[in-house]
Amino acid sequence: MGFLWGSVYSLLCVETVFLTLLLLPLISTQVWCRVFASLSFLYNWLDRLLSITWYFWVLFGLLSVLFASTLKEMWKYEKVRQDHKEGEYGVDGLTREQDKTNLFRSQRNVYIVGLTLF
């Protein structure tokens, strides 16, 4: 995985850990409400100072474009694989394995970006 996919995967892991913490039954909802109420002033201050909301929407937009790009790539490799299956010319085993590898990687990227986005 390259830097882009590593950073998207890291964001997915951070989201997963955060949601797991929120869903732990050991911490009551009253405690979470108090924690978020006490942190709301920090969010408001950072939003005024750094425009955090703008960065959120930029990140959301970039992930959306990346998701559309990975879908397009996955459809491209599915079509190439289908063409090699139905082609009148014989395709060697190495090419078929390369098609499977490319399709697997593109599907993995779709899953990673899709889960991170949604």
Side-chain angles (χ1 to χ4, degrees):
M1 278 199 293
F3 175 72
L4 177 66
W5 295 112
S7 60
V8 172
Y9 181 70
S10 299
L11 180 62
L12 175 63
C13 290
V14 167
E15 287 179 3
T16 305
V17 167
F18 180 69
L19 288 176
T20 303
L21 281 175
L22 286 177
L23 293 174
L24 283 176
L26 302 173
I27 304 170
S28 68
T29 55
Q30 290 84 13
V31 172
W32 284 122
C33 288
R34 277 188 257 136
V35 167
F36 287 126
S38 66
L39 292 177
S40 67
F41 79 92
L42 180 64
Y43 173 77
N44 291 332
W45 179 72
L46 285 174
D47 193 31
R48 277 181 279 142
L49 185 67
L50 301 174
S51 300
I52 290 178
T53 306
W54 183 83
Y55 289 112
F56 169 78
W57 286 112
V58 167
L59 181 65
F60 183 79
L62 289 175
L63 286 174
S64 299
V65 169
L66 196 59
F67 183 70
S69 173
T70 57
L71 278 177
K72 181 182 172 191
E73 184 181 348
M74 184 181 70
W75 293 333
K76 177 182 77 173
Y77 287 127
E78 283 178 351
K79 184 172 180 349
V80 167
R81 188 166 181 229
Q82 193 66 25
D83 289 345
H84 285 167
K85 272 186 180 178
E86 296 173 354
E88 56 191 52
Y89 303 108
V91 177
D92 62 341
L94 186 60
T95 305
R96 284 193 303 270
E97 288 300 317
Q98 187 68 30
D99 291 343
K100 288 178 187 177
T101 303
N102 289 336
L103 185 61
F104 170 76
R105 287 180 180 156
S106 63
Q107 287 173 344
R108 176 202 62 194
N109 293 342
V110 168
Y111 292 138
I112 289 173
V113 174
L115 288 173
T116 303
L117 186 61
F118 302 112

